[in-house]
Amino acid sequence: MKENIKDILYEDKGRAQFLRFLLNGCFAAAIHYAVYCVCQLWIEVNVAYAIGFVVSFLINYYTTCRFTFRKQPTWQHFLGFSGSHTVNFMLHVVLFWCCMQLGVQRLLAPVIVMGIAMLVQFSILRLVFKKK
């Protein structure tokens, strides 16, 4: 039986979660990148990057609960999500700094950082939302 993308997205396990995570992550990354691109025109790049991360975080929490893991937002999920994003933020800061030190172009660096951090983030969030 041939499956289509809609059928896969509506499953509640494994590959469907990962696919929803990727879609949600791309949406959050696009918000992060857009806010960064606008802000870096007027303020220091590291501050602009952090502002983009915070805006993206707020939107991403809600969409991760409802869309990716199909859970109701709760304080327990928020705390786990916040903890995982704290780790993720530190990873972003270190990787972004490394990219800047290596001379990576400042509009390309966030793309590299987000790609690496997204894989780490999914692993952490699966643990957070798997708890009953």
Side-chain angles (χ1 to χ4, degrees):
M1 180 163 80
K2 191 172 183 180
E3 295 180 276
N4 64 40
I5 193 77
K6 185 178 177 184
D7 292 337
I8 293 170
L9 280 175
Y10 285 103
E11 291 177 9
D12 279 332
K13 340 176 193 174
R15 67 183 178 169
Q17 271 185 352
F18 187 69
L19 183 57
R20 289 191 306 264
F21 174 80
L22 288 176
L23 291 171
N24 190 48
C26 289
F27 176 66
I31 291 169
H32 184 178
Y33 189 68
V35 171
Y36 165 76
C37 285
V38 171
C39 289
Q40 63 91 33
L41 295 172
W42 295 288
I43 58 179
E44 199 270 327
V45 293
N46 290 299
V47 175
Y49 195 78
I51 291 169
F53 186 90
V54 171
V55 171
S56 175
F57 171 85
L58 295 173
I59 295 167
N60 194 7
Y61 168 67
Y62 184 77
T63 56
T64 295
C65 287
R66 301 297 291 176
F67 177 68
T68 303
F69 294 104
R70 308 227 170 155
K71 303 281 185 179
Q72 290 285 66
T74 65
W75 282 110
Q76 183 178 1
H77 288 148
F78 183 76
L79 292 175
F81 188 83
S82 298
S84 73
H85 270 68
T86 300
V87 170
N88 195 24
F89 181 72
M90 289 186 283
L91 181 61
H92 273 252
V93 169
V94 169
L95 291 174
F96 187 74
W97 180 85
C98 289
C99 284
M100 293 292 99
Q101 295 306 305
L102 292 170
V104 175
Q105 204 277 335
R106 69 188 210 174
L107 293 178
L108 177 60
V111 175
I112 294 168
V113 171
M114 288 176 200
I116 294 167
M118 191 181 292
L119 297 173
V120 173
Q121 186 69 357
F122 179 72
S123 300
I124 295 170
L125 286 176
R126 276 204 68 166
L127 295 174
V128 168
F129 285 94
K130 197 171 196 168
K131 294 180 181 178
K132 301 242 175 189

